[in-house]
């Protein structure tokens, strides 16, 4: 394992440890439950498809088949 | 004609006033709610909720490509019982006369793609599972896919672990040619793992990684690649016009040939922070693949609650990518004693070249009723401008595009 990989692993473990230190009670989670705090993409299906076919480094999603307007 | 124009001019202020009145009514529903995110979840869910949504999006760019995409979705969910099922249907109507098509002396073409999908989710406790399947049909392309994604909430809901796997099977053909006569198969395995961490009462962090393994020949059966002699290559500049390319290229114009396997890897970090009236979302994605492409995608979105019913969310997205290892703006042949040797890997797909894309847009969401009511209906509008710079490509050096979307979302309990 390289030095960088070891440092990365240590940083990741430290992060997980620190993240575990924060305790948020259920009654404090009003903001976390707001609809805008979702992890899903904010882009709709049309825009996602445009990105998938127009950016070679984005494709790979299962919706990125063809329909790209290219030839 | 003149009278009609005058009438239209007369009507315009009235229409603008009416539009402003609707927006003002929506915005004036009640003052922006301060620290009441719980209000949206305060009403305990009881019974099933029927959800339905529809979106009409349009895309038009300076390369003469337009796409119109109507989408409809319907589903039913019961949050108390912890389940959800849904189905969606999408149509892409693509019309293109892009420079790639013009350069092969082809005329504008139109194509329609139909996509249908179903999905579901179940998990009354900390362990949840979701599954989906879809089929995409075009005259020369059939794509089938399906996947599942379990997630597990641990540490008193402070951490959520998520995994996913999806399988895709594409059949690539040619228009007016049955798959039994000509087809290629492309198989995809998509795997992802990630976790979200509650960092505090207002912040969540997501860290994830995904891999996509593609096996099969995904070369476009219509894409012909111009070839050049090494001696003339330097006379073909970036963005060279079709006429210049045709004047300098050799007679050979072979079909595109891509590697028959591709492994993609990406890591994503996403941070969400909710203040009393707005949500900031920042995201960074780093990408690499076995074709040698590297990419970074940075996104920021700031959703502001203008009132209880109205949200305005401007966003900015910057995508920069390097070229695939086999990308050549000016592909050259070599001549040997045995004859002309054409590069075994070749493409004219400028999306495999180096490029930078900037997208700036905004969403406006107007709830047409109170969010906690038994019946909720929302109008969602989106407008975005997209600018792409092709850093090392033939024919064009940039592309500008406009994306618009109008959507309705409804939930009925």
């Amino acid at each position: 394992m390289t030095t960088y990989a070891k440092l990365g692993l240590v940083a990741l473990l430290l992060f997980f440890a620190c993240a575990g230190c924060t305790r948020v009670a259920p009654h404090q989670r009003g903001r976390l439950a707001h609809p805008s705090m979702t992890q899903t993409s904010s882009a709709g299906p049309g825009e996602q498809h445009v990105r998938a076919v127009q950016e070679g480094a984005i494709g790979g999603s299962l919706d990125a088949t063809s329909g790209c307007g290219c030839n | 004609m003149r009278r009609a124009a005058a009438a239209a001019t007369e009507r315009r202020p009235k229409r603008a006033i009416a539009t402003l009145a609707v927006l003002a009514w929506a915005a004036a529903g009640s003052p922006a709610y301060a620290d009441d995110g719980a209000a949206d979840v305060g009403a305990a869910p009881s019974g099933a909720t029927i959800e339905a949504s529809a979106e009409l999006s349009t895309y038009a760019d300076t390369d003469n490509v337009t796409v119109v995409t109507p989408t409809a979705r319907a589903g039913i969910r019961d949050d108390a019982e912890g389940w959800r099922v849904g189905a969606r249907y999408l149509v892409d109507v693509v019309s293109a006369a892009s420079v790639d098509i013009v350069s092969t002396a082809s005329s504008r073409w139109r194509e329609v793609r139909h996509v249908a999908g179903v999905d579901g989710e179940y998990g009354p406790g900390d362990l949840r599972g979701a599954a989906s399947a879809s089929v995409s049909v075009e005259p020369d392309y059939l794509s089938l896919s399906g996947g599942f994604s379990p997630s597990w909430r641990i540490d008193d809901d402070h951490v959520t672990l998520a995994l996913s796997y999806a399988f895709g099977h594409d059949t690539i053909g040619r228009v007016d040619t049955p798959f039994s006569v000509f087809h290629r198969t492309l198989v995809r395995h998509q795997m992802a793992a990630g976790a979200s961490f509650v960092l505090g009462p207002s912040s969540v962090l997501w860290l994830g990684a995904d891999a996509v393994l593609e096996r099969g020949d995904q070369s476009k059966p219509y894409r012909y690649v111009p070839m050049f002699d090494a001696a003339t290559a330097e006379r073909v500049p970036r963005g060279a016009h079709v006429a210049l390319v045709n004047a300098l290229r050799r007679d050979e114009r072979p079909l595109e040939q891509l590697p028959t396997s591709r492994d993609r890897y990406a890591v994503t970090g996403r941070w969400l922070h909710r203040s009393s009236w707005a949500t900031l979302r920042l995201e960074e994605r780093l990408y690499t693949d076995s074709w040698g492409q590297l990419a970074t995608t940075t996104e920021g979105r700031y959703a502001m609650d203008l009132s209880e019913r109205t949200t305005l969310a401007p966003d900015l997205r910057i995508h920069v990518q390097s070229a695939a290892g086999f990308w050549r703006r000016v592909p050259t042949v070599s001549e040997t004693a045995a004859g002309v040797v054409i590069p075994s890997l070749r493409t004219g797909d400028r999306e495999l070249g180096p490029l930078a894309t900037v997208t700036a847009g905004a969403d406006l969401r107007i709830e047409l009723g109170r969010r906690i009511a038994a019946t909720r209906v929302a109008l969602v509008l989106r407008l975005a401008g997209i600018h792409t710079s092709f850093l090392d490509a033939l024919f064009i050096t940039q592309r500008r595009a406009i994306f618009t979307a109008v959507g309705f979302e409804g939930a009925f309990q």
Side-chain angles (χ1 to χ4, degrees), chain A residues 48-71:
Chain A
Q48 285 182 21
H49 185 61
V50 166
R51 290 176 185 171
V53 298
Q54 291 200 338
E55 295 172 358
I58 290 292
S61 78
L62 295 172
D63 276 345
T65 54
S66 57
C68 53
C70 46
N71 77 338

Side-chain angles (χ1 to χ4, degrees), chain B residues 13-65:
Chain B
K14 289 179 184 171
R15 195 179 301 162
I17 290 168
T19 305
L20 285 173
V22 169
L23 291 174
W25 167 77
S30 69
Y33 48 97
D35 204 0
D36 65 347
D40 293 309
V41 292
S46 60
T49 301
I50 296 172
E51 296 177 322
S53 63
E55 181 188 282
L56 176 65
S57 65
T58 64
Y59 167 91
D61 68 27
T62 51
D63 196 22
N64 295 308
V65 175

Side-chain angles (χ1 to χ4, degrees), chain B residues 124-146:
Chain B
D126 290 335
L127 185 62
R128 296 185 69 80
S132 63
S134 71
V135 56
S136 169
V137 180
E138 289 167 70
D140 55 356
Y141 208 111
L142 172 66
S143 177
L144 306 170
S145 64

Side-chain angles (χ1 to χ4, degrees), chain B residues 17-234:
Chain B
I17 290 168
T19 305
L20 285 173
V22 169
L23 291 174
W25 167 77
S30 69
Y33 48 97
D35 204 0
D36 65 347
D40 293 309
V41 292
S46 60
T49 301
I50 296 172
E51 296 177 322
S53 63
E55 181 188 282
L56 176 65
S57 65
T58 64
Y59 167 91
D61 68 27
T62 51
D63 196 22
N64 295 308
V65 175
T66 60
V67 185
V68 178
T69 309
T71 309
R73 179 179 168 76
I76 183 167
R77 67 186 304 147
D78 189 326
D79 291 335
E81 298 290 329
W83 58 266
R84 173 184 65 79
V85 291
R88 72 182 173 112
Y89 178 66
L90 175 154
V91 181
D92 265 337
V93 183
V94 182
S95 173
S98 64
V99 67
D100 305 291
I101 294 168
V102 171
S103 70
T104 56
S106 303
S107 56
R108 173 180 286 272
W109 56 262
R110 286 183 179 78
E111 194 166 79
V112 179
R113 180 177 75 119
H114 299 268
V115 182
V118 293
D119 55 81
E121 193 174 346
Y122 180 70
D126 290 335
L127 185 62
R128 296 185 69 80
S132 63
S134 71
V135 56
S136 169
V137 180
E138 289 167 70
D140 55 356
Y141 208 111
L142 172 66
S143 177
L144 306 170
S145 64
F148 62 95
S149 52
S151 62
W152 188 25
R153 287 181 292 185
I154 60 174
D155 191 22
D156 195 22
D157 285 359
H158 285 79
V159 178
T160 301
L161 303 175
L163 299 170
S164 73
Y165 170 79
F167 175 79
H169 185 283
D170 293 3
T171 305
I172 305 166
R174 287 185 67 98
V175 173
D176 298 331
T177 304
F179 285 142
S180 58
V181 175
F182 171 81
H183 80 273
R184 296 181 185 138
T185 301
L186 175 64
V187 172
R188 303 166 197 248
H189 301 274
Q190 184 168 347
M191 295 148 284
S196 71
F197 303 90
V198 173
L199 301 181
S202 305
S203 300
V204 178
L205 178 72
W206 164 267
L207 295 174
D210 62 271
V212 184
L213 310 180
E214 299 172 343
R215 299 291 179 268
D217 191 353
Q218 49 192 299
S219 312
K220 290 279 188 298
Y222 311 108
R223 182 174 283 147
Y224 293 91
V225 183
M227 289 285 144
F228 300 85
D229 288 316
T232 58
E234 61 187 24

